[in-house]
Amino acid sequence: MKVSLKNATELLLNGSVVAIPTETVYGLAAWLGKESAIEKIFQLKKRSSSNPLIIHVKNVEECLHYVATIPDDFQKLTSAFWPGPLTVVLPIQEEKIPSIARAGLQTAAFRMPNHPVTLAVLESVSPLVAPSANLSGTPSSTKLQHIENDFGSDFPALDGLCTHGLESTILAQKNGKWEIARLGAISQEAIAKVLGYIPKNNEKTSESPICPGQLLSHYAPKARLILSDQPYKREENPPVVLGFTDRDYSEAKKVFFFGPITNPEEVAHNLYAQLRQLDIEDIQEAWVDIAIPSRGIWATIRERLFRASASQFSNQLGLLFFPSKDH
Ligand code: TXA
Ligand code: MG
């Protein structure tokens, strides 16, 4: 249910959870000052209490209020990417952040979002903890309609556009160097330019990662996804295709389009909506074209598609790390 800015602010201050648009994906927000509301987020998402939340701040100063020590290059990163889709994991002053929000860790993840609606909310109520607004393990929400599908038509939500369509990139420090804990809307290459070195991609494919977004199965629709970097052949594959507007799948019965292969931003923007559309249309199985590049945000798109197809993940792992050619 669409609510006004004023309404959303009141609800948050009174301890309700409200869906807010960010430039990445929709968030399910609670005010850090209301522990009961933070608890509600975990229940609503069916999220494990061992999976910490990102704290959304209105500016760098607000973030520094919670931080124990400021790591090297923090200023460089925030002046380059805040407000924007970069999340940084920082050591914190534990007494200032309820344990439930950070899953008992001595660190917390922070970001300053770059969305006019959410920045306006943060002017009146901040900081806000907000995970992506979806049921745990399923594709994130990028539209108001997705919130209604997951949490019901009465659930309070602000209306706004999620331009990027991919979650923020998460950086954490290890042995004095920044590493990528989750690929996201900002590419590894863009971060390398600012840091002066290439941050290691520490996004693990293990079953018990430090960043639970790294769980193998994530962002997954109910539909079974068959990933392929080979041309589509109807006789060997499901009749439904997820692919690109500038490619030919004339043998397919139905095609869901991410956008043109020439425009990764548009593909990212449409990614989750198209994965969700499979379930809305009750599609059981789809063939997904992953003859895509592996640089820039394509790396994130590729990784999301792999996790979305997690049941087929183990035998397709090679395609993630060793694509047959750089398309
Ligand atoms: O773009 C985004 O980041 C969106 C929007 C709403 O801001 N939020 C989002 O939140 O994607 P969520 O909860 O779906 O993913 C946050 C990830 C989780 O995988 C969590 O494990 C990780 O951040 N995280 C949070 N605190 C952490 C910490 N202290 N150390 C390592 N990872 C952490
Ligand atoms: Mg999420």
Side-chain angles (χ1 to χ4, degrees):
M1 183 183 54
K2 201 161 131 177
V3 295
S4 67
L5 191 62
K6 185 166 173 288
N7 214 331
T9 311
E10 283 164 7
L11 286 165
L12 288 163
L13 285 170
N14 290 329
S16 292
V17 176
V18 177
I20 56 165
T22 83
E23 79 282 24
T24 59
V25 297
Y26 257 93
L28 217 47
W31 179 33
L32 189 69
K34 285 277 183 193
E35 245 181 273
S36 58
I38 302 175
E39 262 166 49
K40 269 187 232 160
I41 289 182
F42 285 87
Q43 288 157 13
L44 281 162
K45 273 186 69 88
K46 300 190 173 54
R47 178 171 173 123
S48 155
S49 58
S50 63
N51 190 353
L53 306 177
I54 294 176
I55 301 175
H56 295 67
V57 291
K58 63 178 175 214
N59 52 38
V60 176
E61 291 67 42
E62 183 169 52
C63 172
L64 292 178
H65 170 73
Y66 297 96
V67 168
T69 50
I70 306 171
D72 284 352
D73 295 334
F74 170 77
Q75 247 85 30
K76 257 194 205 171
L77 289 168
T78 53
S79 44
F81 298 116
W82 281 15
L86 180 77
T87 295
V88 283
V89 175
L90 301 169
I92 46 133
Q93 302 175 44
E94 286 177 62
E95 69 285 1
K96 290 188 176 170
I97 301 175
S99 175
I100 180 178
R102 53 187 163 84
L105 298 175
Q106 294 169 331
T107 57
F110 294 89
R111 89 175 185 98
M112 179 184 174
N114 188 15
H115 193 289
V117 172
T118 292
L119 287 171
V121 176
L122 285 169
E123 274 306 310
S124 317
V125 41
S126 74
L128 294 171
V129 290
S132 54
N134 53 284
L135 299 169
S136 272
T138 67
S140 299
S141 294
T142 53
K143 296 177 196 292
L144 195 67
Q145 183 59 49
H146 301 157
I147 306 296
E148 299 198 350
N149 294 348
D150 286 6
F151 303 107
S153 50
D154 288 342
F155 196 85
L158 281 162
D159 197 8
L161 184 69
C162 301
T163 320
H164 291 285
L166 294 171
E167 297 79 357
S168 60
T169 302
I170 302 180
L171 289 182
Q173 274 233 334
K174 206 170 160 192
N175 305 325
K177 291 270 182 200
W178 291 99
E179 296 188 352
I180 295 179
R182 178 180 71 183
L183 292 170
I186 298 180
S187 69
Q188 190 178 24
E189 293 88 337
I191 295 168
K193 266 195 200 146
V194 171
L195 289 176
Y197 62 89
I198 299 168
K200 195 174 145 206
N201 181 359
N202 196 17
E203 173 135 11
K204 298 240 172 49
T205 50
S206 80
E207 293 291 353
S208 54
I210 173 200
C211 179
Q214 296 171 330
L215 287 173
L216 275 188
S217 174
H218 209 88
Y219 318 107
K222 291 195 188 81
R224 202 171 104 89
L225 303 180
I226 311 293
L227 309 190
S228 171
D229 64 354
Q230 301 301 310
Y232 175 73
K233 288 206 187 72
R234 171 74 180 262
E235 71 267 22
E236 297 162 13
N237 289 301
V240 175
V241 163
L242 270 166
F244 303 94
T245 44
D246 40 7
R247 290 213 174 132
D248 175 27
Y249 313 102
S250 48
E251 290 181 26
K253 185 168 152 214
K254 177 159 182 123
V255 187
F256 292 83
F257 289 111
F258 293 132
I261 194 79
T262 48
N263 190 340
E265 284 77 22
E266 188 178 333
V267 170
H269 175 76
N270 293 325
L271 185 76
Y272 292 134
Q274 293 301 64
L275 291 178
R276 281 173 168 265
Q277 196 58 32
L278 295 176
D279 289 347
I280 291 168
E281 298 191 25
D282 209 20
I283 307 288
Q284 308 295 313
E285 202 178 36
W287 181 92
V288 188
D289 186 348
I290 56 146
I292 59 178
S294 32
R295 282 185 292 270
I297 64 161
W298 284 112
T300 307
I301 295 167
R302 176 179 285 276
E303 185 266 349
R304 296 299 195 266
L305 287 171
F306 273 90
R307 289 186 201 277
S309 71
S311 59
Q312 288 81 47
F313 193 93
S314 52
N315 51 13
Q316 300 195 37
L317 202 60
L319 285 174
L320 175 56
F321 297 111
F322 310 105
S324 56
K325 55 183 177 329
D326 204 350
H327 301 273

